Each structure stands twice: as C-alpha cells, then as structure tokens.
Amino acid sequence: MEEDTGGLPAMGAHSVAAIVEDTVAGTADQDTAGEGFGVEICVAASAGRSEEGTAGRSDAVLNEARSEAATAVALGVVTAVVSEVASVAEVFAPDRPANVDARTVDNSQDALVASFQSLHVKDNELPSRPGFGTVGKPLKLRTNFFPITVPKGPIFEYDVNVNPWANNKRMRRRIYELAEQTDEWKKAGLTGKAAHDRGAKIYSSFKLTQPLEIKVLYTEEGTEDDENKREPKEFQLNVRFIQPLETKSLSRFLEGHPQYRNCDIMPVLNALNVILAMHPNRVGGGGVMVGRNKFFHRSPKVPAMPLGGGLEAWRGFFSSVRPSWKQLMVNVNVCTTAFHAAGNLADRLLEFSNASHGARSAMSVRGVRIRTTHVGYRKTIKTVAKLNARQHKFEAEAFGEVTVEEYFAKKYNITLKYPDLPLIDVGGQTTNYLPAEVCEVLDGQSYRGRFLDEHKTTMITVSRQPPNIIGQSITERGLHELGFTQSTPCMNAFGMTIGTEMAVVPGRILPPPTVRYEGGNMPNIEDRAAWNLRGVRFSVGARLEKWVVLLIGDGTRNEFAGPDDPELLRTLDGFTDMCARSGMVVDRRVRPTIAVAQLPPKHSEDPLRKAAIQRIRVVLTALPSKPRIVLVVLANGDRQVYSGLKHLCDVFLDVATVCVHAAKFRREKGQHQYFANVALKFNIKLGGVNHELGEQNMAWLRREPTMVVGMDVTHPGAGTVKGTPSIAAVVSSVDGHMAHYPASLRLQESRKEMITDLDSMLEERLIAYRDKNKGVLPTRVLVYRDGVSESQFKIVLNEEMPVIKIAFARLSTPQQPYNPKLTIVICGKRHHTRFFPTEAACADEEGRPKPGTVVERGVTAVYEYDFFLQSHKGLQGTGSPRPTHYYVIHDEIGIGPDELQMLTNNISYTFARATKAVSLVTPAYYADLACERGRCYIASLLQGVSDSGTNGSGASEYEDILREARKLWRFDKSPNAVGGSLKETMFYL
C-alpha cells in the first residue's frame, strides 16, 4: 500500500524529495519547491522528479541550460554530479544472512493469485493480480520493511473534544502534554496504556470509564519559571467512546481470504500508527514530528547541517504500518528536512536576504515562533512589515509620538543595531510590531516556505549518503529513536512487537530494450541503463531552418560581445555542425539571424522582471519574419527571465525556444557534449525523432493501434497567492515511433487532484492521433496516471474513468461506435520503499540496485495488481534510488505482468532529451514536464504576486485570482494556453 498523501505533492515527496534525480536526463527542473507542507528530501531516494513532488523540480533555467553532467551521457562521457563518493561501495549488510521471507517463495501466494481468476470484479473495483512475472535475472533484495505483530485486540477508539477547541497544532500538543501530567489522566489508567494523536483521537488497550473528562490548566511551554507568567487558561478534554476495533479482519485480509478483500483496514492501521508514534513523539523526548509520520531528534552523532539563508537540515526517520501478504510490516526510511535555525531573528533575516538576493522575507518566517529578549514572552510571527523601526511611529503613553527605534531606546534602554530592517508583526487581530533583533527563533521548527536555489543545492549535498550507510542508519539509529529495538510500554500494552532485521524479498533484473537510430543502428546499452551517440544519427532528422539566435544581455561577464563576436560565430558553427552530424538536415550556407535583447537592470519594484520580458518581446516581434525556433543564449540563471520568456514565446508569440547558458555554451571544455544535448531538444521540438525502441520491443505496441497516455496535475505551493489554480496535463503518443507526445493543458480548481476537463483534453489527444494516422483511431488506450495517492484510486475509477469513456463516445459515429479497450496504471513516487541488493554481483558500483530491478512480492498488495520498478540508475552519491510504484486500477486490455513490466521498463528508455532510462515511465514524465511548463505561464501568482492586489481569501477574491490566471493563460484564445503551430509539438521539453 502506498503512503497516502492525499493526492497533493508532498514536499519532498513531489516536491523537493526530488531535486536531483534525472538531472543527467535533462529534466525540466522547474521550481516547485515549497509545494505541499514542509520541505523534505528522503535521503534514500535518488532524488526523484517531483514526487513526491513531484516528483524533480529545482531551478527552472536548468531545464534548458543543462550542465555537463547532463550532456556527458549523450556522448558516453559520464560526469559525476557528486564527486565525493568512492568509486566502489559495498552493499548493505554483506555479512548478514539474506534469507528470503518464506511467505514469498512457498507457492502459497501463487495459489492465492490463481484463485483470483474465478472472482468477478466490477468496473469500479481494482482488478485482481493476474499472476507474477518471470522475465529477468532473479535476485534477493533487502527492503526497509520490518515485521510487526498484529495485536490481538480489540483496540478501543475514542474521540476527544477539546473545549474550547484549539486550532493550533502547537497548542494541542501542549494541551496533551499537560493532560498527561494530570491526576485524572493517571487515575483513568491512560499512562503507558493509551495512545493519542494530540488531536481528536485516543486509542486504549482497555475500555475506559465513561464519562471521562480531563481538565488542563494551559501554560506556554518554557514559561514555567517566568516571573511575569500569564494566568493559565483552562481547557477540558471530553473523551467519548466510539467503537472497539477488532483486528481479526486485518489478519484475514493479510492471509488473502476472498471475502475480506474489500475490508476497510485503514481504521486499524491508523490506530497502529498512532501507537507507534507515541515513543518518538513522547513528552520530554526532545523529538519533533513533521506531518503524520516523520520524526526528528537532535543527535550529537548527527548534528544539524547549515543550509544557509537561516535554515539548517535535520536528519530523521519516517515510519508507517503497511499490509503485505501474510505479514503486517512497518516501513522505516531516512529523511532530511529543513528547520529554522534557532537564534536571533535579525541575523536569520539577513542570512535569508543575502542568500535570496533580496527576495521577500515574509514567506520565510511566517508562522515561526519567537521569544522576545526584552520581556521574555513567546509569540508567533504573523508577517514581516513593510516599515522599519525608523519609519513606523505610534503614540506611547509615557513618550508621546515616537518611532519604534526611539521607543526601545527610551523604554528599555536598547539601541537597535538594525533599525533599517523591516519590523515583525506578532499581533493577533491587531498589529504588534517588534524589531527583529529583540526576537529569538525557538528551536525545533520545520520550515514550510519556498526553497531558495541555494537551499536546494545544499540540501542535496548534506543529504547524500551511500546505500550501505542509509541501511545502517535505518537499522541502528532509526529503530532506536523510533523505539522499535525494544518494545515501549505503549507497544507492550497493545501486544505489539517489531522485528529488527529488514525483510528480504525476491526480485528480478529486467533486460534493457534495444534502442535504434537511423539505418537500424543500435548502440550498446550499458549496465547503467545509458548509451552514447558515437557513430549514430537521429532516427528521423528534422530540418533546421528559419531559426534565430537571441542573445540576452543582463550585465554578466560570460555574455558574448554581440552579433559579430567571432567567438559567437565559431560557437554557432560548432553547434550547427553537431546538429548536422547528429542527423538533422542543415543548410550550412545560411547562418541564423542573430538578435540581441539588452535587458534593463533588476529593480526591487519589478521583482518579476516584466520590463526585461517586454524588451525581449520588442526584439522578437521586430524580426523580419517569424522563426520556427529560437536558440536563447541566457546571460545567467535568472528564473524570472526564463519563466517570462517561456510564457511570452509559448503563449503569445507561438515560437519554439531552447535556452542555453552563455557560460556553458561558449566554454570549450565539454562543449561537444553540451551541443549534443541541445541538439536532442532541437530535433524533437522541430518534429524529428531522436531514437526509438527496436522492433522486438515495439511488437506489443504495434500488435494493434495503441495510444499511450500520460496524465498529471501540479498544484500551487507555499508562498503562492491563495486560490492560484492547479494545472492539469494530458499527453499522448501520436506516431508509430512512440516518440512524440503533444500535450493538452488546463487550469483548474486550486489543489484539486482529479482532472476537471479530462473529457475535452482526451478528445483533443484522440483527434490528434487520428489526424496523424490517416483517420485511424486507437483500439487500445494505455493510461499512466501520475500524482494520485492510494486513497484516491477509487476516485479515479469513479470520476475520471467515466469521463474518459465520454471522450471515447464523442468520437463515435452512427455507423461505428467507438469504445477502445482501456487500461489505467497509477504511477507512484510518493512512497518510502527502498531496496538494497544482498550481493555485489546484483548491485552497481555504489551498492545500489541495478536498473531494471522489479519487485512484486513481499511488500506489494495482497489482492491487487502492482509492482515496484527501478528503471533508471540513480545519480552518483544520491543513495538508494527510489523505485516507481506502478498500480493497475483498471484493465480492459488484459495486459499480463511480464508484458506490463517489460513495456513500462522499455518505454522508460524513450525519453527524448536523454540517452538513458529515466525513473518514471516516459508518458507520465512528459505530463509532469508539461505541467511544469504551465507553471511558467502563471509564475507571478505562484510567487505570491497578484496584479489584482488580492490575497485570494474570500469567494469573490478567488474568482478574481482565477480571472487573473486565465488572463495570463490567454484562456480566451485557447484553453490550452498554447495554440497555433506549437500546439501539436513537444514545446514543453
């Protein structure tokens, strides 16, 4: 079962849990840092896309201006992204016995799956597992799952009504902390025998006396010894019995009894997770819980690591109870999260300002708890004011009208060191301004804002660990801090014990596909799931003509001198030569037109650099004729310029663009590799085909007309204007090469995961397929749906699948009803499952699973059709790669496990911007990139800037924000944002 994150990208999870993976592949590293709540990297991941995020998304400009690491793979020269890892690392626990769990190899599960074939499954039910795959080389893998006993039960569930209700989680945590110290709590027998979520639930190992009321006198934590303590506030906890949770149904579910297939086991699993959380989240334990299942403790052995900009990284652990065949398991993983560094707030604001080049600091500290140094009380920061201590004046009782600076000098004899820093508002209903330097940031507060680019880079550095170290950290420090090495009193009370050895499960390494180029040339695919371009040419070379080079001048030293710069002309000749050698049709007698856009300087009054984009517009619209494609030579990595440029050219000018960094484009070292990477983008955007699968690997796809679809939704994150719409994307194959996936894009309700306009989007894709295939429609539609949590599988079946059928019906005729066979596969990256090879022969040089590793036993669903696949090789030094969890939720095609696993692995090698396999099946990856491109079109709202001047808090203001987004999107021209000649191209790569 996959971790349920409610379908919204978790930071880390889609989030920044995926900063670096596929950097070598040239991912669209667009900025979704801050999506979801909390900022996290799961260290055991090879940094996914944007998994969790969402899934990988970092600096937008890196999307186009690829580093040598990305291009090196194209020519077979692998450049290490992380250089501080030994060339050979041992596998985790090489000296421990690796005995595969007997439950996975005793044929009992095969017999169970065989019995499923007689079951009737309705359309709105998940299909049963049809069998197990056999293709590939068998291997044994450790996995970060530990066996846990099912309590005999019952577990008694209670609702807790806190009166008056405390909306603040911090207050509720403190209320429960004080409640545990009361005589009523102890008399009720709750100590060590009950678990609570510090919210509305208590689970007890015995039936409590009713009615049960517990009174709490609330005082702020840390104020016990204050001289000027506030009067305690009284809260009352009313504990009301709900139901006994029997556990026999869970046991029968795990054993695969058919009548228990649809049994709702989540209430019991939720209770067990609360019980396990009691120790790491215990009062006085010094731990911090982030989200529902992540726990962080300061440790002298693993100190916090500075990230810069007022942040530091804490290493902690995730745990979650998961069902599997014949065994309840607890999944434990390492994770690293950003916290606010404790200390003087003024220092932290200055650090953030320096790191962000003057970006708004309000979003970085909103909601942070501080303690004032002059009077000692604790407050929560509401916002950062626009006035400083010298500007803001008020009437003081003893001094008349004074500035804040004057008031602190007269009242407290404090001379402010930073009177020009913005004031901090810590008020509730009314404003209460304080100088930042009299505020101390309290320890243990996770960061919930948007990551700066510097933060992302540093987070990757501090998070990287080899797989064997990750495994040791989980089995040693992790199990200890979580309280799993010896049963805690609470676990004992419920009769729960946890094993301390990782489970060992069987897996297979799938063979790589054959990749073809022009003339049937097939490069050798190496163990690292990559190949080089030596001696091959694109399968179909596009024609490079009517192209323009746009030089962006932004006051940096790496810029070319101008259109007549000899070095520029030599560089362009070299790039053109690379395009020709790669198979593109190039008329070398005609050089491209070269234009220059000298941008106005950055200004604090223009944070989005609208004046710069207007200057680019003037230059491009002054060209004598419309180009087919523009090579944009960026002066630097300014993402405002990048996003604005993409918005301008995609939405308004209908011109394809490819961006490069001037410094990397002109640098001789690695230049050919860089050129090759850019040529990959040019060819695919101009309609060519870079590479395709071999005939044998295409056999299933060509058996009958088949359309492969990718679907995804991306959401606004931290620091955005409230009500900013989400963006949905549907891409689909249109040609026999399975190379081109044009996209349909839509704005939709904020943070809605289900695709609102799916029927019209899929209809557009079907029409595009028909137009490319001489009027023939696909008879099979295979959908890879990204970004959906397990709790939403049924919603996809009940809401999205009927809409897909509506799209099919719209293409029916009186003579020929249209109803192709439909299969829907969910692609999950927001999970914490990791695998560790048990033998060096089955591992790569860093001790990680080899590309093509597939697992379908031991940690997969009991009844349903799912598997884990690691199709790619993780970046050097980034730990154990995060596999993708593929889950079939509807299957009319009847595709078997070997066929689906091989097909999914093979398609992962068709990503057009790379000569390597990627971590997520290519159509779903493309849908993610298309969503990311859509973010460029509403970048202002995503950065918290609204022209309407609203914050989107009311119903009418939400409508104002939607109207503003539609204006940016040019919704009146096209609901896709992109129309004209770009619409049916892969403009988003």
Side-chain angles (χ1 to χ4, degrees):
M1 296 178 72
E2 188 164 311
E3 179 190 0
D4 182 6
T5 55
L8 301 181
M11 183 49 359
H14 198 30
S15 76
V16 187
I19 291 181
V20 285
E21 180 181 71
D22 303 321
T23 298
V24 171
T27 4
D29 294 315
Q30 299 181 326
D31 183 19
T32 56
E35 278 193 10
F37 303 96
V39 180
E40 169 192 61
I41 291 183
C42 296
V43 183
S46 164
R49 293 169 317 113
S50 141
E51 236 101 284
E52 231 229 3
T54 310
R57 303 156 178 174
S58 55
D59 184 359
V61 178
L62 295 182
N63 172 24
E64 301 285 358
R66 259 317 100 203
S67 68
E68 288 83 356
T71 57
V73 173
L75 292 183
V77 182
V78 181
T79 302
V81 174
V82 181
S83 60
E84 298 175 15
V85 178
S87 58
V88 178
E90 65 177 23
V91 298
F92 167 58
D95 299 327
R96 291 188 205 166
N99 300 316
V100 175
D101 290 7
R103 63 192 173 92
T104 66
V105 293
D106 61 5
N107 296 324
S108 57
Q109 194 173 12
D110 297 80
L112 174 71
V113 169
S115 71
F116 290 161
Q117 309 315 307
S118 61
L119 296 178
H120 174 69
V121 178
K122 299 177 182 177
D123 269 359
N124 64 347
E125 293 180 337
L126 303 184
S128 302
R129 186 183 297 280
F132 293 98
T134 59
V135 174
K137 176 185 176 182
L139 79 161
K140 295 184 293 184
L141 297 154
R142 298 185 197 276
T143 183
N144 56 340
F145 283 73
F146 300 84
I148 180 173
T149 55
V150 178
K152 291 182 179 180
I155 299 170
F156 297 94
E157 179 184 1
Y158 295 84
D159 269 356
V160 183
N161 178 38
V162 180
N163 187 27
W165 177 246
N167 287 320
N168 187 293
K169 288 184 179 180
R170 173 188 53 80
M171 286 187 65
R172 291 200 299 272
R173 178 184 173 91
R174 176 63 174 167
I175 288 169
Y176 273 92
E177 178 181 342
L178 295 170
E180 290 180 7
Q181 300 171 23
T182 63
D183 291 337
E184 292 99 322
W185 187 278
K186 296 169 185 175
K187 288 178 182 178
L190 292 170
T191 304
K193 295 183 179 180
H196 55 80
D197 62 358
R198 289 181 166 80
K201 288 291 182 186
I202 287 180
Y203 298 97
S204 176
S205 58
F206 63 97
K207 197 162 186 178
L208 304 177
T209 302
Q210 293 281 278
L212 177 58
E213 296 178 352
I214 300 172
K215 292 184 179 179
V216 171
L217 293 178
Y218 181 88
T219 57
E220 284 282 358
E221 182 180 9
T223 63
E224 293 84 356
D225 299 325
D226 287 0
E227 294 182 5
N228 301 318
K229 288 193 293 187
R230 295 184 179 184
E231 190 70 24
K233 182 177 181 179
E234 183 174 292
F235 287 87
Q236 182 167 295
L237 280 65
N238 298 308
V239 183
R240 183 172 61 90
F241 177 68
I242 298 299
Q243 62 180 334
L245 298 173
E246 56 87 16
T247 59
K248 290 182 180 178
S249 295
L250 172 59
S251 296
R252 292 190 172 101
F253 177 93
L254 299 176
E255 292 166 0
H257 291 274
Q259 63 269 38
Y260 286 89
R261 172 180 174 146
N262 295 318
C263 174
D264 184 9
I265 61 173
M266 289 310 299
V268 177
L269 296 186
N270 290 337
L272 298 182
N273 277 317
V274 171
I275 294 167
L276 293 187
M278 281 300 291
H279 179 79
N281 199 30
R282 67 194 182 280
V283 173
V288 179
M289 184 169 72
V290 177
R292 289 179 296 180
N293 303 85
K294 304 178 186 74
F295 307 94
F296 299 85
H297 294 78
R298 280 200 179 276
S299 169
K301 295 181 179 179
V302 188
M305 294 153 285
L307 294 175
L311 301 182
E312 60 187 18
W314 289 27
R315 283 197 174 125
F317 298 92
F318 163 92
S319 78
S320 181
V321 177
R322 294 281 174 251
S324 63
W325 164 244
K326 283 189 174 180
Q327 181 63 65
L328 191 65
M329 310 285 274
V330 60
N331 179 205
V332 179
N333 194 23
V334 182
C335 50
T336 303
T337 288
F339 280 73
H340 291 277
N344 188 269
L345 179 60
D347 294 337
R348 299 295 171 258
L349 288 177
L350 289 170
E351 289 173 13
F352 180 86
S353 179
N354 292 335
S356 64
H357 307 291
R360 297 188 313 152
S361 57
M363 300 310 301
S364 72
V365 296
R366 183 175 294 170
V368 171
R369 292 285 291 172
I370 57 95
R371 182 183 184 278
T372 60
T373 57
H374 62 300
V375 290
Y377 59 66
R378 299 182 177 213
K379 289 288 187 179
T380 300
I381 297 175
K382 185 166 70 174
T383 189
V384 177
K386 295 182 179 179
L387 299 173
N388 62 39
R390 286 177 173 165
Q391 295 169 331
H392 180 63
K393 295 181 180 181
F394 66 101
E395 287 288 334
E397 186 175 340
F399 311 116
E401 185 179 78
V402 291
T403 65
V404 173
E405 181 182 25
E406 292 167 343
Y407 179 78
F408 271 80
K410 294 178 180 179
K411 176 76 173 177
Y412 301 107
N413 197 28
I414 295 175
T415 302
L416 298 182
K417 297 179 181 178
Y418 307 109
D420 294 323
L421 270 183
L423 294 168
I424 305 300
D425 185 1
V426 297
Q429 298 298 321
T430 59
T431 57
N432 182 3
Y433 289 139
L434 290 174
E437 61 194 83
V438 301
C439 302
E440 291 286 323
V441 177
L442 297 177
D443 194 34
Q445 301 182 78
S446 63
Y447 177 66
R448 299 173 181 270
R450 181 186 296 275
F451 250 2
L452 301 174
D453 296 337
E454 290 79 1
H455 290 150
K456 298 170 193 173
T457 303
T458 311
M459 194 69 148
I460 294 168
T461 302
V462 302
S463 300
R464 63 183 184 229
Q465 291 178 308
N468 60 328
I469 301 302
I470 292 171
Q472 291 172 16
S473 183
I474 290 172
T475 55
E476 295 172 7
R477 179 176 163 235
L479 296 186
H480 174 73
E481 288 189 2
L482 293 171
F484 295 169
T485 51
Q486 53 185 6
S487 295
T488 63
C490 193
M491 289 171 58
N492 284 332
F494 288 91
M496 297 170 64
T497 58
I498 298 175
T500 56
E501 288 291 331
M502 281 191 184
V504 180
V505 297
R508 290 170 287 119
I509 302 177
L510 302 179
T514 299
V515 174
R516 290 192 309 161
Y517 283 84
E518 182 188 66
N521 287 332
M522 295 176 286
N524 179 53
I525 295 179
E526 304 163 5
D527 283 346
R528 56 192 174 88
W531 62 97
N532 63 62
L533 292 177
R534 292 195 187 97
V536 298
R537 293 161 62 87
F538 295 142
S539 288
V540 178
R543 182 174 293 276
L544 181 58
E545 59 184 3
K546 297 181 181 178
W547 63 299
V548 167
V549 176
L550 176 64
L551 302 180
I552 302 295
D554 204 14
T556 62
R557 63 179 182 177
N558 293 311
E559 298 168 17
F560 290 103
D564 299 321
D565 185 340
E567 186 179 352
L568 170 64
L569 300 179
R570 285 195 301 270
T571 301
L572 291 177
D573 286 343
F575 170 66
T576 305
D577 182 63
M578 176 59 72
C579 290
R581 286 192 287 125
S582 298
M584 297 183 70
V585 180
V586 180
D587 185 351
R588 303 191 199 190
R589 297 170 299 176
V590 181
R591 275 184 166 163
T593 300
I594 301 174
V596 179
Q598 190 63 47
L599 306 185
K602 295 179 182 180
H603 196 282
S604 59
E605 297 299 316
D606 183 18
L608 300 177
R609 303 209 66 183
K610 292 182 179 180
I613 303 307
Q614 178 59 27
R615 179 58 189 158
I616 294 172
R617 178 196 285 266
V618 169
V619 172
L620 290 178
T621 53
L623 294 171
S625 61
K626 178 182 174 181
R628 287 190 66 199
I629 193 167
V630 177
L631 175 65
V632 183
V633 184
L634 296 169
N636 52 44
D638 191 323
R639 74 177 170 197
Q640 310 297 349
V641 172
Y642 174 87
S643 295
L645 172 78
K646 292 297 183 181
H647 184 206
L648 170 67
C649 293
D650 290 356
V651 177
F652 290 90
L653 303 184
D654 187 35
V655 174
T657 53
V658 173
C659 296
V660 296
H661 266 158
K664 295 168 184 174
F665 193 55
R666 71 189 301 173
R667 188 166 56 199
E668 291 186 8
K669 182 180 179 181
Q671 191 174 59
H672 289 295
Q673 293 95 324
Y674 195 78
F675 287 166
N677 187 64
V678 179
L680 290 171
K681 294 183 183 181
F682 260 71
N683 193 58
I684 197 71
K685 290 190 178 188
L686 290 173
V689 176
N690 291 350
H691 63 271
E692 56 190 308
L693 295 175
E695 286 293 338
Q696 183 177 354
N697 304 118
M698 292 288 287
W700 187 89
L701 291 167
R702 290 179 176 170
R703 191 174 301 165
E704 55 183 288
T706 303
M707 186 170 84
V708 184
V709 179
M711 294 165 34
D712 194 16
V713 179
T714 186
H715 305 285
T720 62
V721 176
K722 286 185 179 179
T724 297
S726 293
I727 298 169
V730 176
V731 306
S732 70
S733 59
V734 293
D735 60 346
H737 301 285
M738 291 289 166
H740 283 269
Y741 289 79
S744 292
L745 289 170
R746 293 291 191 278
L747 293 173
Q748 65 178 44
E749 300 91 325
S750 183
R751 305 196 68 78
K752 179 184 176 184
E753 185 57 57
M754 298 301 113
I755 300 177
T756 299
D757 203 18
L758 180 56
D759 51 345
S760 64
M761 297 170 78
L762 192 61
E763 183 183 7
E764 289 174 6
R765 297 298 95 230
L766 288 163
I767 291 172
Y769 182 99
R770 183 182 63 188
D771 292 346
K772 284 281 189 177
N773 291 274
K774 301 179 181 179
V776 174
L777 285 166
T779 58
R780 300 185 299 188
V781 176
L782 173 58
V783 175
Y784 286 100
R785 175 66 160 97
D786 193 15
V788 176
S789 68
E790 187 179 57
S791 66
Q792 296 174 315
F793 288 178
K794 288 291 184 72
I795 301 176
V796 174
L797 288 176
N798 294 328
E799 294 183 14
E800 289 191 345
M801 189 175 74
V803 171
I804 291 173
K805 297 284 189 176
I806 290 172
F808 293 163
R810 287 180 180 171
L811 295 174
S812 296
T813 65
Q815 299 77 24
Q816 186 67 48
Y818 181 60
N819 188 28
K821 289 172 284 188
L822 172 68
T823 291
I824 303 174
V825 183
I826 304 296
C827 314
K829 294 287 281 187
R830 295 196 299 274
H831 63 80
H832 290 263
T833 301
R834 302 293 182 270
F835 299 109
F836 303 85
T838 59
E839 301 175 27
C842 296
D844 70 7
E845 68 278 3
E846 292 187 37
R848 304 176 297 194
K850 288 185 176 181
T853 296
V854 63
V855 175
E856 54 184 342
R857 295 179 189 262
V859 290
T860 51
V862 177
Y863 299 91
E864 283 91 35
Y865 187 8
D866 70 326
F867 60 92
F868 290 93
L869 172 64
Q870 180 203 312
S871 53
H872 68 305
K873 175 183 171 67
L875 295 180
Q876 184 178 350
T878 50
S880 184
R882 183 200 304 253
T884 299
H885 190 191
Y886 294 98
Y887 215 116
V888 181
I889 65 167
H890 187 72
D891 186 23
E892 296 173 11
I893 296 175
I895 184 169
D898 276 327
E899 287 179 322
L900 182 58
Q901 292 164 17
M902 287 292 292
L903 178 67
T904 303
N905 190 54
N906 292 347
I907 294 177
S908 300
Y909 284 73
T910 63
F911 190 72
R913 279 199 334 218
T915 55
K916 67 182 287 263
V918 290
S919 65
L920 178 67
V921 66
T922 297
Y925 209 140
Y926 285 158
D928 177 80
L929 298 185
C931 282
E932 292 310 305
R933 179 55 64 84
R935 293 174 69 87
C936 292
Y937 310 155
I938 58 170
S940 56
L941 296 175
L942 291 171
Q943 294 179 54
V945 179
S946 169
D947 287 341
S948 64
T950 180
N951 61 11
S953 56
S956 62
E957 292 183 342
Y958 272 108
E959 293 176 2
D960 291 340
I961 296 303
L962 180 58
R963 277 193 294 270
E964 184 174 344
R966 286 185 168 184
K967 182 178 178 181
L968 293 167
W969 196 263
R970 295 194 82 194
F971 188 84
D972 57 328
K973 299 293 183 182
S974 170
N976 274 302
V978 177
S981 61
L982 288 185
K983 183 176 182 296
E984 296 303 328
T985 71
M986 298 185 73
F987 65 89
Y988 56 84
L989 282 188

